[in-house]
Amino acid sequence: MSVTVFGIRHHGPGCARSLLHALDRLQPDCVIVEGPPDADAEIDELQRDGFFPPIALVVYAAEDPKRAVFYPFAEFSPEWQALLWAKRHGVPARFADLAWTHRFGASAEEEDGEREAAAERGDPLGWLARADGYADGERWWNDRIEERGGDVEIFAAIAEAMLALRRELGLQETLLAERREAAMRRCLRDAQRGGAERIAFVCGAWHAPALDLERVKKSEDDALLKGLPKTKVATTWTPWTNERLTFASGYGAGIAAPGWYEHLFAGGSAITERWLARAARALRSEELEASSASVIEAVRLCAALAGLRGRRNAGLAETLEAVQHVFAGGSETWNAVLRKRLLVGERLGVLPEGLVRLPLEQDLIAQRKRLRLEPTAAPKTLELDLRESGGLARSVFLHRLLALGIAWGALDERPRSRGTFKEAWALQWKPEFALALVDASAFGTTIVEAAAARISHAAERASALAELVTLLERAQLAELPGAAAAVLAKVHTRSAATAEADALFDAIPPLARLVRYGDSRTSDRAAVRAIARELARRAHLALRAAVSGLSEDAARTWVERLRQHHASLALLEDAELDADLQSALLRMADSPADAELRGLAVRLLREARALAPARVARYVELELSAGQDPLLAARWLAGFLEGSGALIVHDAELLALLDQWMAGLTDEHFQNVLPIARRTFGSFPPPERRALADALLRKPNQRASEAPDALFELDAARSASAIETVARFLGLELAEEHR
Amino acid sequence: MNDTLRQPAEIACAAELTALAAHDERPRPPRWRLSPWAVVDYILGTRLPDGTEITAKYVGDRRLVEIAVATLATDRALLLLGVPGTAKSWLSEHLAAAISGDSTLLVQGTAGTAEELLRYGWNYARLIAEGPSEAALVPSPLLHAMRDGKIGRVEELTRIPSDVQDTLITMLSEKTLPIPELGSAVHAVRGFNVIATANSRDRGVNELSSALQRRFNVVVLPLPATLEDEVAIVQSRVASLVTALALPAEPPALEQIRRVVAVFRELRSGVTEDGKAKVKSPSGTLSTAEAISVVTSGLALASHFGDGVLKAADMASGMVGAIVKDPVQDPPVFREYLETVVKERDGWKDLYRACRDHLR
C-alpha cells in the first residue's frame, strides 16, 4: 500500500504535463484531488462527454445561494488533468479538503481573520525565489517548474523544498489551515481503509508535506474536526471564461496569462516560434504590421535574452519583450491587443447537453434555443424590431432576464426617444450569471414565473415611489401582467402616502411612456393611465407649496422637472389633465415662487393658449418694471424665454417692452444681468437670433406699426390686379388706396 | 593629470574593462571584448570576485539593458529612443566601449549629414591624380566598423535627412557596402553592428522609413522611475564632472541635489511628489541631463564666486534658465509653482527667495 503526493501549483501547465507522465508511470488505483468533498458527486458527472474547459465547480449554501465558491478548471489545470486521467483509466477519483458544509458556517469575522492571517504570511514561495536570486515567487516557480519539460522527478523535489520551507519558516498555521489539512489526511485514511493500494494525491504544493500520515495521529485530526457547524450545501458545474481565470477565486490567486499556459500545456516542439507566430497573427488581425521577418528576428532576440538570463527556453517575459522591441518599435501600446487576443483569449467553456440540474437554467436554455440567442463571451450587439413577433419575443425574454438580475443584455436607452419599435441590445454572457441563476431559482422554476415572483418580491420591499415605478416599467416590458398588476396596486397605495411633490412628479414620465409606447406590447394601459392621472392631479396640487422658498439651484432642477412633466402630459393627451396643469401654473405664476419658475409658468400657459396675448404682455411689463430687481427680472426672462425666442420675434409689443427694459438698465445693472441674458438668448436657435436682431434694427416707429409695406417695396400699379383678385377670393373690401 | 577634457569610455573605464575581461569566462560572440553577461555587468555595475568595484553606468531597468545587449548579440541593429537627457548617447558609448573596446566610430547626425559621412568619401587630390583607387578612398566611421568587426555609432539618427538615412539599409540588411567606383564591395566582418540613437521629442525630425525601422530593434529609454534613482544619477555624474573640471568646490550636499531633481520631476510630471497637488508644466523637457548641468554650473559659481559650498542662490540662475525656455509662457508657470509649492515647503525658503529674485 502506498501514497504518492503530487505537490502542484493550481493552474500550472508544466505541473499538469509532469503529473500526467507521473500518473502513467505510477498507475494508481485511486486518485484524490484537493477540492471540496461536498462535490464528490460532481466527479461522476465527468463520465459524460462534452466538458470543454474553462469550467468551474460551484459550491453554494442551499439556503443562501449568494454564498458561493467557485473552483475553476482550465484544460491545463493539474487537478483537471488528474480527474480526466482517472476517468480514462476507470479509476475512482474524489476530492479532499475541509467540506464547505463546515466552512459556510464560519462568521464574517472569522473569515476576515483568516484572510488577514493569509495576507500577513504573504507568498511563502518568495523565500525560495529570493534564495535562488529571483525577485518574486510567481516568476521563480514559472521558470523553475512550469516552463521546463515534463519530468517526473520534479514532484519529489517540490515536496522536499516545501518540507524544508515549512520547517525553516516555522509559521503558525491558522486554525482553518490546520483543519483543512486534517480533513485531507482523513480523506486519505478513508481511501486506505477502502482498500486502495496505490493512492495518488494531487494538492497545492504547500500542503504536500502535511500529508505524511506517520507524523500526525488520527486522534489529533479527529479532535480538530469535531463539532464543526453544518450548513446545507449544493453543487453544480458551470461554464467559465479565460477572462475569469485571471481573477482570484476558490483555488487561490488568478493567473495573468491563461493563453500562454494553454500554449505551454499543448507542448510540442518550437514553443517560442509558434507562440511568436501566433502573436504576429493576432497583431495582423488588428491591422498592425507584423511580418514573418519580424517573427524570425523576435525568435532570435528571445533566444539571446534567454541565454543572457540563464534560462533553457524563452519564457513569457522574453517573448513579450521581443514583441515590444522588434514588432512595436519599443512602445507598449500593442500589449493591450496581445492581452485580449493571445494572453487571455476569449474562450468560453462548454458543459455537456443535459448536465443542467437547475430547472430554471433548463428553461433558460430551452428558451434561448427557441429564440436563437447564443451566449458569447465577447460583446455583441442585437437590433430588435418589436413589430415582428420574433423581435418582440426576444426583447421580452431579455427583459425577463434583467428582472431576474441576469444582465445578459444591456438595453441601449437612446433609441427609445427615436422610435417605439426598435430596441438595440448589447449582449455579453458572463460566467457569474450562473450564480445569478442559482440565486433566482429561489423564486421559481421557469423564467417567466421567477421573473414575476422576483419583481413582486422587490415591490413588497420597495419604499420609494420612483423605485416602484421603475419596477412597474420593467414588469410591463417583460410582459408579466400578474407582477405588473401587483406593482400597480403598490404604486397606488404608495402614491396616496407620498406627499413629496418631487417624488410625485418624477414618477409620472415612466408611466406616461408606458401609456404611450405600451402599444407594441400587450399591457393594461387603462390601469396605468388611471394611476398616472391620479398622480398628476396630486402633483399639481402639491406644486405651489413645493416651489416656494427655493434656492436658485433647486429652482433650476424644478424648471427641468416641470419641462419634463409638461412633455409627459403631452404623451398622455388628456385635456382634463392639461387644464389641471394650467390652473396650477396660473397659481404659480402669481405666487412668490422663484422668478425663473414663474417665467416658465407664463411661457407654458402662453404656449397652451391659456393666456391671452394681452395678459402675457401685462406679465412681462410687470416683471420687467422699474421697481423690480434687474437680476430677478433677468431670471424671470430666462424662465420665460429659454430654449426658444419665437415668442418675442413675432410679437412686436413684447419685443418693445423688452427693448425698453434693457435700454433702461444702468451700466451696473446691465453688467449684472448680462450673464443670465446671454445664457437665455444664447439658447435660441441661430435663425431666431438673426430674426430677432433684424427686428431690433428696424426703426421703432416702423416696428410699432408692423405694416406689410414697410417690409416690401410694392409697385402699386403692377400689383393692383393681383391684390384685387386675391381680395375677391377672400371676400374682402379693398381700401381706397389699393383700388 | 591627463589634459583631455573628456576621455572616451574605453579609456576612462579601462581598468574596469580589463578587470571584467580577466574574470569573464563565458563564451564571447566573435570579436567581442567581453561576453554579453559581462557587458550587462559593466553597464549596471557589480562587484567582481577579487573585490574590484564596477560602477553602474546606467541606473534603471535591468530588462532594457539585457534587451539591448541581446539585440547586439543577434547582429540586429539597436535603436535607442527617448526624450532628451535619458542617457541614450551615454549608454550607446558604453555599450560600444564594452563590446568593441572602441566607442569612437561615431557619426553625428545633423540636418547637413551627407551620404559620404555614412559610406565613404574621396581624397580628391589623389582621386584626380591616380583615378579611383583604394588609397584615394576615405572610409566613414561605419566603414571602419564594418572592416574591423566593431560597433559603429550613429547619433541623432532622425536629424539626418531621410534619403541619407536610407543609405544604412544595405549596410544593416546585406552587411555589405558596394563601392561601384572600384568595382568592389566591403563585406562586414563578424562583430560589426550599429547602435543608433534618436530623440522622440525633437521637433523637425525626419521620420525613419519603415524599411529602415524594420532593421532595428527599438529600446525606449524612460525617464528615471523614482526620485531616488534620479538623485543617484545626478550625484554620480556631478561627482565625475567635478573631477574632470577640477572644481575646487566641495561635493554638493545631497539635499541640494534632491531639491533640484524634485523640482524638475514635479514640473515635468505636472504633479507634486506626494501626489497631492497639480502643477503646470513648462515648455522645456527638464531632463536629468539638465538637472546635472544645473548642479555643476551651480558648483562652478560657488567655487569661483562664492565660498565653495553649493547654496540655493548658486543654483537659482541655472534652474531658472533650464525651466524658463519660452520667455512668454514659462515665467508665470514657474512663478505659480514657486508661490504654491516651493514657498510652503519646510526648509525651502532660501530656494524660493533665490528663484524669485532671478525670475524678475
Side-chain angles (χ1 to χ4, degrees):
Chain A
M1 192 182 69
S2 73
V3 176
T4 313
V5 177
F6 297 102
I8 49 104
R9 189 181 55 167
H10 305 300
H11 305 309
C15 284
R17 284 170 66 82
S18 303
L19 180 64
L20 284 180
H21 290 297
L23 290 176
D24 280 340
R25 187 185 285 185
L26 180 67
Q27 290 295 328
D29 58 1
C30 175
V31 174
I32 304 181
V33 174
E34 179 188 339
D38 321 76
D40 271 346
E42 302 295 338
I43 296 181
D44 299 337
E45 298 290 349
L46 294 180
Q47 293 306 327
R48 301 198 217 185
D49 289 323
F51 283 92
F52 295 100
I55 55 175
L57 194 58
V58 196
V59 183
Y60 59 95
E63 308 288 323
D64 180 12
K66 276 198 202 68
R67 306 196 62 183
V69 259
F70 294 88
Y71 287 80
F73 296 96
E75 190 63 40
F76 50 80
S77 305
E79 294 90 343
W80 176 250
Q81 288 301 330
L83 293 174
L84 284 190
W85 189 93
K87 175 190 170 186
R88 275 201 301 276
H89 293 80
V91 169
R94 58 183 299 189
F95 285 127
D97 202 336
L98 182 60
W100 280 94
T101 305
H102 306 307
R103 290 180 69 177
F104 278 133
S107 66
E109 289 109 71
E110 280 173 300
E111 282 172 24
D112 286 347
E114 292 289 343
R115 219 168 293 131
E116 266 167 40
E120 221 166 84
R121 197 176 66 186
D123 177 14
L125 288 183
W127 293 98
L128 290 177
R130 279 194 287 279
D132 199 8
Y134 278 79
D136 75 310
E138 175 84 13
R139 194 158 175 165
W140 173 80
W141 182 277
N142 270 343
D143 268 17
R144 295 293 178 206
I145 316 281
E146 301 300 344
E147 287 172 4
R148 64 194 294 152
D151 63 77
V152 175
E153 278 71 35
I154 193 86
F155 294 108
I158 292 174
E160 207 174 303
M162 289 300 152
L163 183 61
L165 188 60
R166 285 182 72 154
R167 214 176 262 155
E168 290 297 319
L169 289 179
L171 291 173
Q172 176 64 42
E173 290 293 322
T174 62
L175 181 59
L176 176 66
E178 283 183 359
R179 281 186 176 147
R180 288 183 56 198
E181 289 181 347
M184 289 184 204
R185 284 190 290 269
R186 179 183 270 184
C187 275
L188 201 48
R189 288 194 191 94
D190 286 350
Q192 281 182 336
R193 237 195 344 270
E197 286 293 322
R198 290 180 308 283
I199 301 174
F201 197 116
V202 180
C203 63
W206 180 253
H207 300 303
L211 294 172
D212 187 352
L213 295 184
E214 310 291 314
R215 292 198 9 244
V216 188
K217 285 208 203 83
K218 180 172 179 298
S219 53
E220 288 176 30
D221 285 346
D222 287 346
L224 261 175
L225 296 173
K226 228 171 94 182
L228 292 175
K230 270 197 166 185
T231 318
K232 200 166 173 316
V233 300
T235 59
T236 185
W237 287 103
T238 177
W240 211 244
T241 60
N242 272 3
E243 183 70 44
R244 284 259 129 186
L245 285 175
T246 60
F247 301 165
S249 62
Y251 273 136
I255 47 175
W260 168 249
Y261 283 9
E262 249 167 46
H263 185 77
L264 276 185
F265 181 68
S269 57
I271 290 190
T272 314
E273 288 82 346
R274 277 192 298 117
W275 175 254
L276 286 168
R278 286 179 58 194
R281 299 186 87 86
L283 292 172
R284 276 176 228 152
S285 72
E286 302 263 334
E287 311 271 315
L288 297 169
E289 190 186 307
S291 67
S292 304
S294 303
V295 175
I296 296 169
E297 292 304 336
V299 169
R300 294 178 64 209
L301 180 60
C302 277
L305 269 177
L308 195 53
R309 291 171 183 171
R311 299 162 150 217
R312 199 159 9 145
N313 295 313
L316 181 59
E318 282 78 34
T319 59
L320 289 182
E321 283 164 1
V323 169
Q324 182 182 343
H325 295 279
V326 180
F327 291 14
S331 93
E332 291 178 359
T333 47
W334 291 12
N335 287 356
V337 174
L338 281 185
R339 184 177 187 280
K340 190 176 99 189
R341 296 264 172 171
L342 197 62
L343 291 182
V344 177
E346 291 165 338
R347 199 183 289 275
L348 175 63
V350 177
L351 293 180
E353 297 257 342
L355 178 90
V356 179
R357 248 162 276 112
L358 296 172
L360 186 63
E361 198 175 355
Q362 285 170 352
D363 187 45
L364 176 110
I365 292 168
Q367 292 212 36
R368 77 163 163 71
K369 285 211 169 134
R370 190 166 54 77
L371 298 169
R372 294 196 301 281
L373 289 168
E374 272 303 303
T376 51
K380 198 175 89 173
T381 56
L382 178 71
E383 283 241 348
L384 295 179
D385 187 336
L386 301 184
R387 292 168 303 184
E388 293 166 4
S389 63
L392 183 60
R394 287 169 170 196
S395 162
V396 168
F397 175 62
L398 290 171
H399 275 297
R400 282 180 184 163
L401 289 187
L402 277 181
L404 282 175
I406 301 171
W408 180 9
L411 181 59
D412 187 350
E413 298 283 344
R414 278 166 302 161
R416 192 185 283 180
S417 54
R418 278 195 269 123
T420 59
F421 53 83
K422 272 258 159 52
E423 273 183 356
W425 292 81
L427 299 185
Q428 184 180 20
W429 186 264
K430 294 182 190 145
E432 61 259 36
F433 295 159
L435 187 60
L437 265 172
V438 171
D439 196 19
S441 318
F443 291 102
T445 51
T446 62
I447 298 285
V448 55
E449 186 190 334
R454 194 160 181 265
I455 286 186
S456 308
H457 179 74
E460 282 305 315
R461 288 191 301 183
S463 52
L465 191 57
E467 213 177 319
L468 281 169
V469 172
T470 314
L471 282 172
L472 179 64
E473 200 172 15
R474 173 154 291 164
Q476 293 278 14
L477 291 171
E479 288 190 3
L480 301 166
V487 181
L488 205 55
K490 271 297 272 189
V491 173
H492 196 84
T493 50
R494 187 70 235 167
S495 68
T498 302
E500 296 83 15
D502 48 354
L504 289 168
F505 273 104
D506 290 343
I508 294 166
L511 292 177
R513 275 202 300 269
L514 272 181
V515 172
R516 176 72 174 210
Y517 300 133
D519 51 8
S520 34
R521 300 159 194 280
T522 44
S523 57
D524 186 3
R525 286 199 282 154
V528 180
R529 178 182 281 275
I531 298 260
R533 284 180 59 141
E534 190 194 316
L535 279 176
R537 283 223 189 78
R538 290 161 33 75
H540 295 160
L541 284 174
L543 180 60
R544 197 183 147 172
V547 295
S548 58
L550 288 180
S551 72
E552 209 170 297
D553 286 342
R556 280 208 66 79
T557 66
W558 267 101
V559 166
E560 214 23 69
R561 186 172 279 137
L562 275 180
R563 285 224 177 96
Q564 251 190 25
H565 179 68
H566 187 247
S568 301
L569 285 198
L571 291 181
L572 285 174
E573 287 180 331
D574 185 321
E576 233 178 278
L577 274 190
D578 289 343
D580 197 46
L581 175 64
Q582 283 154 21
S583 55
L585 288 175
L586 261 179
R587 286 196 298 275
M588 192 169 84
D590 296 324
S591 75
D594 182 85
E596 201 167 338
L597 278 169
R598 278 184 284 130
L600 178 69
V602 175
R603 148 86 165 270
L604 293 178
L605 287 168
R606 191 185 181 286
E607 277 177 8
R609 299 186 189 286
L611 279 184
R615 293 250 340 249
V616 175
R618 231 185 60 211
Y619 271 116
V620 176
E621 205 173 353
L622 177 72
E623 296 287 352
L624 301 186
S625 52
Q628 176 76 296
D629 175 356
L631 264 182
L632 284 181
R635 295 199 47 238
W636 188 91
L637 261 185
F640 182 63
L641 290 177
E642 200 163 293
S644 165
L647 222 59
I648 43 172
V649 176
H650 300 296
D651 191 329
E653 194 184 346
L654 282 188
L655 189 60
L657 284 172
L658 192 59
D659 193 22
Q660 201 183 326
W661 170 71
M662 193 67 89
L665 288 175
T666 66
D667 282 356
E668 190 194 342
H669 283 155
F670 180 74
Q671 278 183 18
N672 290 339
V673 161
L674 197 58
I676 305 176
R678 197 189 174 287
R679 192 187 74 200
T680 309
F681 292 97
S683 69
F684 298 175
E688 275 184 19
R689 266 182 284 170
R690 214 172 305 124
L692 195 60
D694 287 345
L696 283 169
L697 284 172
R698 269 179 250 130
K699 297 224 170 73
N701 55 351
Q702 283 172 333
R703 213 191 296 147
S705 71
E706 198 77 1
D709 42 349
L711 290 174
F712 315 102
E713 297 244 342
L714 284 182
D715 184 328
R718 295 177 67 187
S719 60
S721 62
I723 291 173
E724 203 178 316
T725 314
V726 174
R728 203 172 296 151
F729 284 156
L730 299 173
L732 296 176
E733 286 287 314
L734 276 185
E736 191 60 37
E737 57 182 292
H738 289 300
R739 260 185 222 276
Chain B
M1 191 173 181
N2 190 309
D3 271 349
T4 315
L5 182 54
R6 183 181 180 282
Q7 290 177 320
E10 59 273 16
I11 296 176
C13 302
E16 290 187 5
L17 288 168
T18 319
L20 272 165
H23 284 89
D24 187 13
E25 281 158 12
R26 307 231 208 182
R28 299 170 194 186
R31 286 192 184 74
W32 279 39
R33 298 292 187 86
L34 296 173
S35 70
W37 295 269
V39 175
V40 172
D41 281 345
Y42 169 75
I43 301 291
L44 293 170
T46 186
R47 182 191 283 273
L48 291 177
D50 68 359
T52 314
E53 194 70 39
I54 306 295
T55 53
K57 315 297 177 304
Y58 179 73
V59 179
D61 197 348
R62 179 178 193 96
R63 259 185 57 228
L64 291 179
V65 176
E66 286 177 349
I67 291 165
V69 174
T71 295
L72 293 170
T74 61
D75 76 28
R76 275 269 281 187
L78 174 68
L79 175 61
L80 298 172
L81 206 64
V83 297
T86 40
K88 298 182 294 289
S89 307
W90 176 255
L91 186 57
S92 150
E93 179 186 347
H94 280 282
L95 281 171
I99 292 172
S100 308
D102 186 355
S103 63
T104 58
L105 299 174
L106 167 74
V107 177
Q108 178 66 49
T110 67
T113 303
E115 276 190 37
E116 288 77 35
L117 263 170
L118 291 178
R119 297 196 304 187
Y120 50 84
W122 296 100
N123 178 338
Y124 285 98
R126 266 208 138 133
L127 185 67
I128 293 165
E130 301 170 11
S133 72
E134 189 68 39
L137 192 79
V138 181
S140 73
L142 295 184
L143 195 61
H144 273 303
M146 287 177 78
R147 282 181 171 156
D148 302 345
K150 288 181 173 178
I151 301 280
R153 295 168 56 207
V154 181
E155 288 287 304
E156 301 284 4
L157 177 61
T158 49
R159 300 200 68 81
I160 302 178
S162 299
D163 48 335
V164 182
Q165 284 176 16
D166 285 352
T167 316
L168 286 171
I169 294 179
T170 340
M171 278 190 242
L172 295 181
S173 58
E174 310 294 326
K175 315 281 182 199
T176 300
L177 185 63
I179 307 179
E181 294 90 337
L182 298 181
S184 68
V186 176
H187 299 283
V189 175
R190 280 166 174 275
F192 164 70
N193 210 335
V194 170
I195 305 177
T197 63
N199 190 334
S200 56
R201 199 177 176 178
D202 220 348
R203 266 167 289 188
V205 294
N206 306 298
E207 283 290 329
L208 292 188
S209 67
S210 63
L212 185 55
Q213 171 116 44
R214 273 201 301 277
R215 266 84 188 173
F216 284 105
N217 281 2
V218 185
V219 170
V220 178
L221 295 180
L223 290 162
T226 65
L227 178 67
E228 291 314 315
D229 275 357
E230 197 163 349
V231 169
I233 295 168
V234 175
Q235 200 177 12
S236 74
R237 288 286 290 138
V238 166
S240 68
L241 281 170
V242 164
T243 332
L245 299 174
L247 288 175
E250 284 179 33
L254 186 60
E255 198 41 47
Q256 299 289 6
I257 296 181
R258 190 184 295 271
R259 289 202 304 199
V260 175
V261 172
V263 167
F264 275 35
R265 287 179 71 85
E266 290 182 339
L267 286 171
R268 200 162 64 204
S269 63
V271 189
T272 55
E273 287 285 333
D274 58 11
K276 282 182 186 157
K278 289 209 168 184
V279 296
K280 293 201 186 82
S281 292
S283 56
T285 47
L286 298 177
S287 65
T288 315
E290 282 171 289
I292 293 168
S293 99
V294 166
V295 176
T296 34
S297 72
L299 273 178
L301 275 177
S303 59
H304 296 307
F305 303 102
D307 56 3
V309 180
L310 183 65
K311 296 204 182 65
D314 302 319
M315 291 191 304
S317 69
M319 279 176 80
V320 172
I323 294 166
V324 179
K325 287 279 195 284
D326 181 317
V328 180
Q329 290 169 22
D330 292 343
V333 170
F334 189 40
R335 199 168 285 133
E336 185 181 308
Y337 174 76
L338 285 176
E339 296 298 332
T340 55
V341 179
V342 177
K343 195 178 176 183
E344 308 298 323
R345 282 214 177 120
D346 284 341
W348 284 40
K349 274 272 181 308
D350 52 340
L351 188 65
Y352 165 73
R353 260 184 237 116
C355 287
R356 196 191 51 188
D357 291 346
H358 264 280
L359 203 52
R360 285 214 179 107

